Amino acid sequence: MLQLFRTERMWRTPPSLSDRYDVVIIGGGVHGLAAAYYLGKRGVKNVAVLEKSYVGAGASGRNTAIIRSNYRTPEGVAFYDESVKLYEGLSVELGYNVLFSQQGHLTLAHTDSAVNGLRVRAEVNQLCGVSSRVIWREEIQKLVPAMDCSDRPRYPVIAALYHPPGGIIRHDAVVWGYARGASRLGVDIHQFTEVTGIDTAGGAVTGVRTSRGDIKTGTVLNATAGFCSTIAKMVGMTLPITTHPLQAFVTEPLTAFLDKVIVSSNLHVYVSQTDRGECVIGSEIDPYTSYSHRSTLPFLEATAHHTLELFPCLRDVRVLRQWAGICDMTPDYSPIMGEVPALKGFFLDVGWGTYGFKAGPVSGYRMAEAIATRQTPELLKPFSITRFHEGRLVGEKAAAAVSH
Ligand code: PYC
């Protein structure tokens, strides 16, 4: 008989909050859920994910779903390369189609200094074994026939960093897939459960207070985006982070015309077309700090203007919806990961700026390793919180999409 309704739910909703968990993960986005999933796979039992809203309500549901590993530093490239590889196998891993389209990613340069930046990235990428090379106008035009590569625009396209493994993915499917997988491995996912305090004693974490009751635990992972500073303050810690809005919008669906992700580092705009035909268009972070999710007209005007420089064919296209997320920016545009040395059992997976979604699988995988083994994986060592006072910054500003 035709089954009209799914009887199986995506993930279990535990009836109550247990008063003791071995690991408490704060944040039900891709990072927290992936960490929970990989902890479950390692056989770590009694894990809870606490989400103050619904799963994927934060940055995981408010990004432009771009996946790539063409970063600027060897540390960044190695890290994101592992993420791309995990994304490549994710549909099979989770038994859930995450619609990863590895269509290729182009970072455009419109000035000589931007071309130099692309050359450096291409060199580093190639040395790290990542497919990425500088291409010029003729080849760009062949790859993206709809883009204006002529001398007409105010800043004509000169070159691009072409990164064939880059692409786009269905971000909500990734979040739901990890939540479903984690739940099947026994993780308790508590939505609408806000953390209100964290207890410590003798230099170690001892518990978490929430809007639904208190939990005793020796291990807490702060995997929040937008609110990581608020959570860190609960243990008396000030993170080197400022929080900015990042806006984006989506057009009405169009016949397929663009099968590459286009990022312009000079025009501060990025454009891709989803499998539904909509163009997803974004810009750099708003230049002021704020926790606002409000969309603004100046953003829409400026970003549409820059998009039309590249794609005059979008002139009469209507905008369907616009949104904003909030981004936690570190001084070097790299994340902060690992256990906090001064507070046993308190782990950070924060500072994800505008590049967090693409790192979900690798962060989850490696943070789970760090928690389960109490050893910092090699891949995470460059991103420790101690780098700020040790002067070991991992400068990714030039490769953080359009955020410079
Ligand atoms: O880092 O690829 C990126 C990105 C795209 C949009 C915001 N950041």
Side-chain angles (χ1 to χ4, degrees):
M1 199 178 105
L2 185 68
Q3 197 179 348
L4 289 179
F5 299 103
R6 287 176 62 95
T7 47
E8 192 188 347
R9 300 197 66 98
M10 287 285 281
W11 54 86
R12 288 175 303 117
T13 302
S16 59
L17 196 69
S18 167
D19 63 2
R20 188 176 290 274
Y21 282 104
D22 290 343
V23 181
V24 170
I25 297 172
I26 308 174
V30 62
H31 283 247
L33 293 164
Y37 173 77
Y38 293 115
L39 278 169
K41 280 201 82 175
R42 283 178 166 270
V44 177
K45 303 266 180 254
N46 205 20
V47 176
V49 175
L50 309 182
E51 166 54 52
K52 75 171 176 174
S53 181
Y54 56 89
V55 151
S60 292
R62 295 172 169 276
N63 61 81
T64 45
I66 295 172
I67 309 297
R68 64 186 177 93
S69 59
N70 56 354
Y71 277 74
R72 162 75 177 71
T73 65
E75 298 88 341
V77 176
F79 180 77
Y80 285 98
D81 186 39
E82 184 165 299
S83 211
V84 169
K85 290 189 173 124
L86 287 166
Y87 266 128
E88 283 169 348
L90 202 58
S91 293
V92 172
E93 169 77 32
L94 298 175
Y96 194 75
N97 193 351
V98 294
L99 297 172
F100 186 19
S101 161
Q102 281 185 289
Q103 50 188 236
H105 179 287
L106 272 80
T107 310
L108 307 177
H110 309 247
T111 64
D112 290 346
S113 77
V115 174
N116 286 341
L118 299 188
R119 284 186 195 278
V120 174
R121 280 170 68 188
E123 287 280 317
V124 175
N125 292 176
Q126 288 163 21
L127 286 170
C128 295
V130 164
S131 171
S132 165
R133 63 191 167 89
V134 175
I135 61 173
W136 306 93
R137 254 204 226 181
E138 204 179 319
E139 191 173 353
I140 300 170
Q141 188 72 86
K142 277 202 191 116
L143 288 171
V144 195
M147 193 160 71
D148 187 346
C149 292
S150 73
D151 281 332
R152 183 205 58 90
R154 183 157 169 223
Y155 296 107
V157 172
I158 302 177
L161 185 67
Y162 179 36
H163 176 49
I168 48 175
I169 204 162
R170 256 311 271 281
H171 55 356
D172 40 16
V174 174
V175 172
W176 297 335
Y178 271 125
R180 186 179 85 141
S183 178
R184 289 181 177 182
L185 290 167
V187 172
D188 281 358
I189 299 172
H190 294 286
Q191 300 183 96
F192 304 102
T193 305
E194 184 166 359
V195 171
T196 55
I198 298 175
D199 296 324
T200 63
V205 165
T206 57
V208 169
R209 276 171 273 145
T210 84
S211 53
R212 293 177 54 219
D214 296 348
I215 300 168
K216 291 211 182 327
T217 185
T219 306
V220 171
L221 171 62
N222 178 358
T224 55
F227 295 93
C228 69
S229 306
T230 314
I231 299 295
K233 278 213 178 81
M234 292 176 183
V235 296
M237 204 178 163
T238 304
L239 293 174
I241 277 177
T242 52
T243 300
H244 293 252
L246 179 71
Q247 302 191 46
F249 66 87
V250 165
T251 68
E252 62 185 323
L254 305 167
T255 307
F257 77 101
L258 178 64
D259 63 358
K260 299 280 173 287
V261 181
I262 305 297
V263 177
S264 164
S265 47
N266 295 115
L267 296 178
H268 300 291
V269 71
Y270 39 95
V271 186
S272 64
Q273 188 176 22
T274 68
D275 49 8
R276 286 187 298 217
E278 299 165 343
C279 287
V280 180
I281 300 177
S283 185
E284 61 185 334
I285 50 171
D286 287 346
Y288 44 83
T289 57
S290 167
Y291 284 89
S292 168
H293 279 125
R294 196 173 304 148
S295 301
T296 66
L297 187 57
F299 155 78
L300 185 58
E301 281 177 340
T303 309
H305 176 80
H306 291 152
T307 304
L308 291 178
E309 286 284 288
L310 297 172
F311 294 102
C313 57
L314 295 179
R315 197 178 51 238
D316 295 323
V317 168
R318 282 168 294 196
V319 170
L320 273 194
R321 57 184 186 278
Q322 191 183 345
W323 73 92
I326 42 180
C327 301
D328 292 327
M329 311 302 300
T330 58
D332 59 358
Y333 284 58
S334 284
I336 304 172
M337 286 180 281
E339 190 171 14
V340 174
L343 187 59
K344 190 162 169 273
F346 191 61
F347 288 81
L348 296 172
D349 176 21
V350 300
W352 282 107
T354 64
Y355 20 88
F357 191 79
K358 55 183 67 51
V362 65
S363 306
Y365 186 77
R366 295 296 174 181
M367 288 307 302
E369 181 184 345
I371 291 169
T373 64
R374 302 286 155 165
Q375 302 287 324
T376 306
E378 284 304 318
L379 217 49
L380 298 194
K381 282 184 180 162
F383 303 107
S384 122
I385 181 87
T386 57
R387 75 176 185 271
F388 296 103
H389 70 256
E390 288 165 358
R392 289 186 292 105
L393 301 192
V394 187
E396 281 296 0
K397 197 171 187 183
V402 284
S403 307
H404 55 295

